[in-house]
Amino acid sequence: MHVTTDANAPWLIAGLGNPGPEYAMNRHNVGFMVADLLAHRMGAKFKRAAKAQAQVVEGRIGAPGPASRRVILVKPMSYMNVSGGPVTALRDFYKVPTEHIVAVHDELDIDHGTLRLKLGGGDNGHNGLKSMTKAMGPDYHRVRFGIGRPPGRMQVADFVLKDFSSAERKELDYFVDRAADAVEALVIEGLERAQSTYNS
């Protein structure tokens, strides 16, 4: 798909999750974890957005100079299944082309800790992606953070809203760090180069 985009247009990175301390360590909230780490790397703190039900950080990713990219980090505060509203409102406010939008989210069909980067595609039953695609179409980037499938007969909804297990938590910081690296690589180097490094 050939897309002509202003190279200087900002990027909007939406970490998907649910607001509130009871959800903070849920598998479904890994997008928030990656967004928090990216904000920390930028030396910035999330603030309430005036234009949308979300928290935002504005800053730059990459070495100072022509390689750096303007980014808006977003954590929708609307609950996962209506993430599309805040993301679309901020897209319009900051004039971000859809192909400069990145959703960072949990992915059931990938093993825990494995990353996959892609542009466009379906929502695979993920309510946050479903809401974003309904609001703006499917042509945004995704950084898919594998959480694996629920064990036994556990329902998917129960699994994603449970905290990472103690075994998973031992490596979680490493995987979140790697996912943040992947987001930075996508924004600075482009999808193909980021895929060749991080699509394990």
Side-chain angles (χ1 to χ4, degrees):
M1 175 172 32
H2 181 67
V3 182
T4 51
T5 300
D6 174 5
N8 296 317
W11 285 76
L12 192 155
I13 298 159
L16 300 185
N18 285 308
E22 68 272 33
Y23 298 106
M25 287 306 294
N26 286 184
R27 293 182 178 92
H28 221 20
N29 267 43
V30 75
F32 275 17
M33 296 174 199
V34 175
D36 284 337
L37 179 57
L38 287 165
H40 176 73
R41 290 181 180 183
M42 288 158 57
K45 283 192 167 26
F46 277 97
K47 299 192 296 273
R48 262 187 85 169
K51 304 291 175 189
Q53 194 178 358
Q55 291 185 354
V56 294
V57 162
E58 293 181 61
R60 299 191 82 84
I61 279 177
S68 85
R69 300 280 182 269
R70 183 173 167 228
V71 298
I72 299 101
L73 298 176
V74 179
K75 294 196 297 186
M77 292 285 123
S78 56
Y79 290 99
M80 180 69 88
N81 58 355
V82 284
S83 302
V87 174
T88 307
L90 292 165
R91 174 200 69 177
D92 295 345
F93 177 70
Y94 288 105
K95 300 182 171 54
V96 180
T98 302
E99 61 277 9
H100 271 207
I101 293 173
V102 183
V104 186
H105 64 92
D106 57 306
E107 178 63 64
L108 287 157
D109 283 341
I110 304 174
D111 289 341
H112 171 68
T114 301
L115 292 176
R116 293 269 193 286
L117 284 68
K118 71 173 188 172
L119 174 62
D123 56 56
N124 203 18
H126 191 288
N127 287 332
L129 296 184
K130 202 175 285 181
S131 177
M132 282 182 61
T133 296
K134 188 176 173 191
M136 68 178 77
D139 297 330
Y140 53 90
H141 288 87
R142 298 100 190 277
V143 173
R144 304 156 74 205
F145 186 109
I147 59 169
R149 282 264 160 201
R153 296 187 174 183
M154 187 188 288
Q155 293 294 313
V156 164
D158 294 333
F159 179 69
V160 299
L161 292 174
K162 279 203 166 22
D163 288 359
F164 283 100
S165 70
S166 53
E168 288 167 339
R169 275 206 294 271
K170 289 189 179 115
E171 296 179 307
L172 186 59
D173 286 351
Y174 167 76
F175 289 139
V176 168
D177 197 63
R178 196 160 181 273
D181 290 347
V183 171
E184 292 180 345
L186 169 61
V187 169
I188 295 162
E189 299 170 17
L191 179 61
E192 284 182 17
R193 287 189 66 178
Q195 283 175 324
S196 68
T197 305
Y198 292 99
N199 277 19
S200 36

